[in-house]
Amino acid sequence: MAIEHRGLIAAAAALLFAGTSAALAAPPALGPEVERNIVVPDGGTFAPTAADEEGAIDRFATYTAALARRDYAAAYAMLRLSFQASNPRLEWEMNLRKRSALWADGKLRILRLSWYPDPAGQPPGLYAAFDFRGDRKDGSMDCGYVVVHRTDPASPFTVVRTDTSEVPPELIEDGVPKADVLHQLPCYLGKGIATSF
């Protein structure tokens, strides 16, 4: 059952990317405009703690900042070992290099944060999915998600799934992707995140 709620978090400033060199000022701000979801089995309950949120947001911010500054070694080290096993380092990095516009500049904005405690069919632990968009100076935008996982409260979060698309300016109208492409963008609809870690 999905429980949606909106709330304020005591998280700091914004994550800004400028040019090809990114500066991580502080973890992204998660204000009341960020959609919040908690997905638990029927009858279950869960509420993230301040430590859960801080750890998940910090991993998301650190990972996306590493990609923005093209520090592929640092970003790859944050991937869960099973993700690394299915995505050899050279192939993973070359796929990112082929899409050089992604993560290049602009302001990263979190649209949705979804929590999944012990989802069925996945390794046990706590998962947090961040749907985001990144607006660039050329009018294009990145649109995607990053899923992080922690096996237990004493363990750090690792990145377990990520997907990002580039939306060109001609497919954006009034700051929002046009209707004919919107249904393809998980950063707006959260499609597949619950079952595709």
Side-chain angles (χ1 to χ4, degrees), residues 5-69:
H5 63 90
R6 296 177 186 270
L8 296 170
I9 287 191
L15 173 63
L16 296 175
F17 296 145
T20 56
S21 127
L24 178 60
L30 297 186
E33 73 284 353
V34 174
E35 181 183 333
R36 306 303 211 83
N37 298 307
I38 298 175
V39 181
V40 294
D42 288 339
T45 60
F46 172 77
T49 66
D52 294 336
E53 297 215 357
E54 182 179 329
I57 292 168
D58 183 62
R59 175 56 71 213
F60 169 81
T62 305
Y63 177 73
T64 56
L67 289 176
R69 68 177 183 268

Side-chain angles (χ1 to χ4, degrees), residues 133-150:
R133 68 178 281 176
D135 297 293
R136 293 197 289 268
K137 295 172 186 175
D138 65 2
S140 63
M141 64 176 269
D142 294 343
C143 180
Y145 61 86
V146 172
V147 181
V148 299
H149 168 243
R150 184 189 68 200

Side-chain angles (χ1 to χ4, degrees), residues 16-165:
L16 296 175
F17 296 145
T20 56
S21 127
L24 178 60
L30 297 186
E33 73 284 353
V34 174
E35 181 183 333
R36 306 303 211 83
N37 298 307
I38 298 175
V39 181
V40 294
D42 288 339
T45 60
F46 172 77
T49 66
D52 294 336
E53 297 215 357
E54 182 179 329
I57 292 168
D58 183 62
R59 175 56 71 213
F60 169 81
T62 305
Y63 177 73
T64 56
L67 289 176
R69 68 177 183 268
R70 303 302 191 252
D71 187 347
Y72 297 114
Y76 192 78
M78 296 178 218
L79 304 178
R80 182 167 67 185
L81 292 179
S82 60
F83 189 108
Q84 290 181 354
S86 60
N87 294 275
R89 164 75 193 275
L90 183 58
E91 180 181 338
W92 175 85
E93 183 174 330
M94 291 310 297
N95 285 334
L96 286 173
R97 288 182 182 277
K98 283 190 276 188
R99 303 170 70 200
S100 61
L102 293 178
W103 313 102
D105 68 2
K107 181 179 179 183
L108 194 68
R109 185 163 34 123
I110 296 172
L111 303 173
R112 180 187 297 107
L113 170 56
S114 302
W115 294 95
Y116 302 91
D118 296 315
Q122 300 300 326
L126 180 59
Y127 294 79
F130 294 90
D131 298 300
F132 67 90
R133 68 178 281 176
D135 297 293
R136 293 197 289 268
K137 295 172 186 175
D138 65 2
S140 63
M141 64 176 269
D142 294 343
C143 180
Y145 61 86
V146 172
V147 181
V148 299
H149 168 243
R150 184 189 68 200
T151 55
D152 59 71
S155 300
F157 279 93
T158 59
V159 176
V160 297
R161 182 157 173 82
T162 180
D163 188 25
T164 309
S165 299

